[in-house]
């Protein structure tokens, strides 16, 4: 990510971390470092008046998006998306409305996950597809041919070729070893 991709009011450190920009007269601190002692603590800025909008970064391009905006002004993506987080292998996938996200080991069919699962023979080459709709609904589907190790949603195996609804907070598992925590961010208030 370049300096211009860093949200306004944030500082990009050489190691890739981001910090909020220091108030005037303060010096930036790196994560894990103790602040330099001062005679008196620096005053914190007062909270803004009620009704002030705070922008959140776009899930796709990280540009600031105001809560009232349904689409990112920079990349024109909707706020609606799904976040899949896998602990092992360490993998985080964000996907929005449009064509399905294919999950598996086949490099042509699942280009976003093939490298991460290359050595995981319990994940099929064409394991599952995840679709996100503009209204915030998400669906997971195993290919018609099925998979040897199965796809599980909250511990229950899903049927091959059947679109199964996915909800915020669900656990999606490929076989018995690879699991994803599912977070859905929709168009409604209070979401991503």
């Amino acid at each position: 990510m370049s300096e211009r991709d860093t949200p306004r009011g944030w500082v990009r450190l050489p190691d890739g971390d981001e910090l909020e920009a220091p108030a005037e007269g303060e010096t930036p601190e790196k994560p894990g470092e103790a602040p330099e002692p001062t005679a008196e603590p620096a005053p914190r800025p007062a909270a803004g008046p009620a009704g002030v909008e705070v922008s959140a970064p776009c899930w796709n391009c990280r540009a600031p998006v105001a809560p009232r905006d349904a689409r990112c002004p920079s990349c024109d993506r909707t706020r609606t998306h799904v976040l899949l987080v896998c602990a092992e292998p360490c993998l985080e996938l964000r996907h929005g409305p449009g064509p399905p996200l294919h999950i598996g080991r086949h490099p042509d069919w699942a280009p976003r996950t093939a490298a991460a699962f290359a050595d995981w023979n319990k994940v099929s080459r064409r394991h599952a597809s995840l679709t996100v709709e503009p209204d915030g609904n998400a669906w997971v589907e195993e290919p018609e041919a099925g998979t040897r190790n199965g796809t599980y949603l909250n511990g229950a195996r899903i049927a091959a070729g059947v679109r199964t609804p996915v909800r915020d907070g669900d656990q999606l598992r490929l076989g018995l070893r690879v699991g994803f925590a599912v977070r859905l961010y929709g168009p409604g208030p209070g979401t991503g």
Side-chain angles (χ1 to χ4, degrees):
M1 188 181 292
S2 67
E3 281 293 322
R4 64 183 173 80
D5 293 332
T6 303
R8 179 179 289 166
W10 288 76
V11 175
R12 173 150 316 272
L13 299 176
D15 61 359
D17 288 336
E18 293 179 346
L19 295 174
E20 282 193 71
E24 203 167 323
E26 291 182 353
T27 57
E29 300 170 10
K30 284 192 172 188
E33 289 185 0
E36 294 183 16
T38 57
E40 59 183 78
R44 293 198 173 258
V52 172
E53 293 183 335
V54 178
S55 296
C58 171
W59 65 270
N60 184 54
C61 71
R62 309 304 292 165
V65 181
R68 70 181 177 280
D69 295 338
R71 303 184 82 79
C72 173
S74 179
C75 69
D76 200 39
R77 295 283 186 120
T78 66
R79 297 174 64 87
T80 303
H81 70 284
V82 66
L83 169 65
L84 300 175
V85 179
C86 182
E88 191 173 335
C90 185
L91 183 63
E92 183 177 290
L93 299 166
R94 291 181 185 269
H95 187 69
L101 167 68
H102 296 297
I103 304 169
R105 293 184 296 119
H106 193 287
D108 294 331
W109 189 77
R112 290 181 58 194
T113 61
F117 294 131
D119 296 328
W120 292 78
N121 63 354
K122 299 294 182 182
V123 174
S124 296
R125 293 173 56 77
R126 292 184 168 139
H127 204 106
S129 298
L130 184 84
T131 305
V132 180
E133 296 176 359
D135 64 4
N137 289 316
W139 307 87
V140 66
E141 184 176 1
E142 198 173 273
E144 284 284 332
T147 64
R148 179 176 290 177
N149 295 298
T151 305
Y152 298 83
L153 190 62
N154 298 322
R157 189 168 181 164
I158 66 170
V162 176
R163 283 177 40 143
T164 306
V166 177
R167 309 267 185 262
D168 185 52
D170 281 354
Q171 294 295 315
L172 177 65
R173 207 171 68 227
L174 311 178
L176 298 176
R177 297 191 178 212
V178 176
F180 289 95
V182 178
R183 291 302 318 242
L184 279 173
Y185 297 90
T191 60

